[in-house]
């Protein structure tokens, strides 16, 4: 059974309430949503899970606005995600039952029985599933999930290496026959790119592509062969990762979003599959974040120093502007090489220690 996460619920709420993602976060009780989702994960069947979801959201009233409408929409999204339909006719019966939940006269067990009587399971082909996910994850959730590849101004702020990571993530999803790109695929893209601070931090922590792929298959499983199409949509969590990475880059004064900002986005969503995998393979997401930020800060200081020296050049013309970018590119290459040498020296020192040789002796 596939479960919804907090951001999946907020995506549906954003569509119903017709507001932006940041607005829906401010207008919702996130703790109440998390408590309901925890109750849903403790259930055993789809009907029980949908019943707990419906009863919990109606009782908790976490949404500012037509809470009941949002609750029903979230339940419809949940059962649809698990290849089922929920019949809502006649509407008067549904409305009366929701009144009973709100009044405390019906609980999760009653809601499970109500859902069970109206639940229709149906098999789908890979083509149906692809189309379903495309509509639900990409088109059906409004501005929050607009096609990120087509004209979104945020995309223009991504560096070439960050774009390459996302292309690799799509390839990883396709190789696993998945019909979506999630945070787990972004993590694989960051590792297989082998470029930049993010890839080096993950490598230093022993987070490898084969280990991540094994955990992806263990947690999610492989898709059906041939199910993936040419265009693979991003999940709500992946979209949230992009948005968080964009915000991090702007907050840090970076000119573009880089792979390191994407990794910060994956780490930020600890409930996503990518975050879960990092937790399993590393000491903790906090430790990964600390090491990543340490390297990012060191590199930023070096770049700022060179940029500041060039800015003080009295002949600050378009010629020196081009020279600045040329020198910054050269600096990045030097920093990359310096980091590789540093890693080799660190590995050599560790090897000497293993053989009881003091590297400083």
């Amino acid at each position: 059974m596939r479960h919804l996460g907090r951001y999946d619920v907020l995506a549906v709420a954003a569509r119903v309430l017709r507001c932006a993602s940041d607005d829906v976060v401010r207008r919702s009780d996130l703790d109440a949503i998390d408590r309901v989702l925890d109750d849903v994960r403790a259930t055993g069947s789809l009907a029980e899970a949908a019943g707990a979801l419906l009863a919990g959201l109606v009782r908790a009233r976490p949404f500012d606005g037509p809470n009941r409408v949002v609750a029903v929409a979230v339940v419809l999204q949940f059962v649809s995600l698990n290849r089922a339909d929920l019949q809502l006719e006649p509407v008067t019966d549904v409305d009366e039952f929701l009144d009973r939940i709100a009044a405390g006269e019906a609980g999760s067990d009653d809601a499970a029985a109500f859902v069970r009587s109206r639940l229709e399971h149906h098999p789908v082909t890979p083509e149906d599933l692809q189309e379903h996910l495309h509509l639900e994850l990409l088109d059906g959730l409004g501005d929050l999930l607009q096609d990120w590849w087509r004209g979104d101004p945020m995309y223009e702020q991504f560096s070439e290496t960050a774009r390459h990571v996302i292309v690799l993530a799509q390839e990883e999803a396709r190789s696993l026959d998945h019909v979506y790109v999630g945070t787990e695929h972004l993590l694989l893209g960051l590792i297989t790119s082998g470029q930049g601070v993010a890839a080096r931090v993950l490598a230093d922590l022993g987070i490898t592509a084969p280990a991540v792929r094994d955990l992806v298959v263990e947690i999610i499983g492989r898709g059906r062969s041939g199910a993936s199409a040419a265009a693979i949509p991003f999940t709500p969590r992946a979209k949230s990762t992009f948005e968080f990475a964009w915000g991090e880059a702007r907050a840090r004064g970076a000119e573009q979003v880089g792979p390191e900002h994407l990794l910060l986005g994956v780490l930020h969503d600890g409930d996503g599959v990518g975050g879960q995998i990092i937790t399993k393979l590393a000491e903790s997401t906090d430790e990964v974040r600390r090491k990543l930020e340490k390297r990012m800060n060191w590199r930023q200081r070096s770049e700022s120093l060179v940029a500041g020296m060039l800015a003080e050049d009295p002949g600050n013309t378009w010629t020196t502007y081009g020279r600045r970018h040329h020198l910054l590119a050269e600096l990045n290459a030097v920093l990359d090489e310096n980091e590789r040498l540093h890693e080799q020296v660190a590995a050599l020192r560790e090897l000497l220690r293993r053989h009881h040789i003091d590297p400083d002796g």
Side-chain angles (χ1 to χ4, degrees):
M1 182 164 55
R2 298 179 63 184
H3 289 282
L4 297 176
R6 176 202 287 180
Y7 294 105
D8 304 321
V9 173
L10 291 173
V12 177
R15 180 189 178 188
V16 174
L17 300 175
R18 297 182 181 277
C19 64
S21 56
D22 54 344
D23 288 335
V24 80
V25 170
R26 288 194 295 269
R27 296 172 58 179
S28 303
D29 185 340
L30 303 183
D31 290 337
I33 294 173
D34 289 341
R35 287 193 296 270
V36 172
L37 294 179
D38 287 342
D39 291 340
V40 171
R41 293 188 184 95
T43 60
S45 68
L46 180 58
E48 291 173 347
L53 186 61
L54 180 62
L57 292 178
V58 170
R59 284 198 303 258
R61 295 188 57 82
F63 308 108
D64 178 18
N67 182 84
R68 184 177 295 191
V69 178
V70 176
V72 172
V74 170
V75 172
L76 289 173
Q77 171 75 7
F78 174 60
V79 298
S80 179
L81 189 64
N82 286 280
R83 306 181 187 183
D85 289 325
L86 187 62
Q87 297 303 316
L88 298 179
E89 298 291 343
V91 175
T92 53
D93 290 351
V94 177
D95 200 43
E96 289 175 1
F97 183 72
L98 295 178
D99 285 339
R100 291 179 55 204
I101 294 176
E105 299 172 359
S108 297
D109 291 341
D110 300 307
F114 182 83
V115 169
R116 189 176 293 109
S117 67
R118 293 167 173 267
L119 203 59
E120 293 184 359
H121 297 272
H122 57 84
V124 294
T125 65
E127 292 77 15
D128 291 336
L129 184 58
Q130 169 66 28
E131 179 62 18
H132 163 73
L133 285 172
H134 178 76
L135 291 174
E136 292 297 323
L137 297 180
L138 195 57
D139 296 334
L141 298 182
D143 293 340
L144 183 64
L145 295 178
Q146 62 182 304
D147 189 343
W148 186 75
W149 285 102
R150 298 177 183 173
D152 192 316
M154 180 171 62
Y155 171 70
E156 299 302 324
Q157 303 301 319
F158 277 57
S159 68
E160 287 298 325
T161 51
R163 298 183 194 186
H164 182 58
V165 165
I166 296 168
V167 171
L168 291 174
Q170 290 180 313
E171 293 177 358
E172 290 289 342
R174 191 172 288 110
S175 69
L176 292 167
D177 293 315
H178 290 164
V179 291
Y180 59 88
V181 177
T183 56
E184 62 275 22
H185 306 112
L186 292 176
L187 177 59
L188 282 167
L190 286 165
I191 296 170
T192 55
S193 72
Q195 300 180 33
V197 173
R200 291 196 181 90
V201 168
L202 293 170
D204 287 350
L205 293 168
I207 301 177
T208 65
V212 172
R213 290 191 194 101
D214 287 344
L215 283 173
V216 171
V217 173
E218 177 184 323
I219 295 171
I220 300 175
R222 298 187 66 92
R224 295 180 61 180
S225 180
S228 58
I232 306 179
F234 300 104
T235 65
R237 288 187 184 277
K239 177 68 176 181
S240 296
T241 297
F242 297 145
E243 293 175 341
F244 184 85
W246 191 27
E248 281 292 304
R250 287 187 297 174
R252 295 166 185 269
E255 293 184 359
Q256 288 186 309
V257 176
E260 61 273 19
H261 304 115
L262 288 175
L263 180 54
L264 285 173
V266 174
L267 291 168
H268 176 71
D269 185 7
D271 292 332
V273 177
Q276 293 178 39
I277 289 174
I278 291 176
T279 301
K280 286 178 178 289
L281 295 178
E283 301 171 31
S284 68
T285 54
D286 289 338
E287 179 65 13
V288 179
R289 185 182 296 104
R290 185 187 66 77
K291 292 184 177 181
L292 175 61
E293 290 185 341
K294 181 179 179 181
R295 288 207 179 189
M296 288 173 64
N297 292 337
W298 173 78
R299 191 168 188 126
Q300 186 176 18
R301 285 196 299 271
S302 300
E303 291 178 350
S304 297
L305 178 62
V306 173
M309 292 171 61
L310 291 173
E312 294 173 1
D313 188 342
N316 191 13
T317 63
W318 283 107
T319 303
T320 56
Y321 175 82
R323 177 169 169 260
R324 171 181 179 271
H325 282 267
H326 176 70
L327 289 177
L328 285 177
E330 289 187 344
L331 172 65
N332 281 327
V334 171
L335 293 176
D336 286 340
E337 181 62 24
N338 186 56
E339 285 189 22
R340 282 191 288 270
L341 291 173
H342 177 76
E343 291 162 7
Q344 292 173 5
V345 170
L348 178 59
R349 290 169 64 87
E350 179 61 26
L351 183 62
L352 290 172
R353 289 192 187 96
R354 289 178 185 176
H355 287 82
H356 306 293
I357 300 175
D358 184 2
D360 299 315

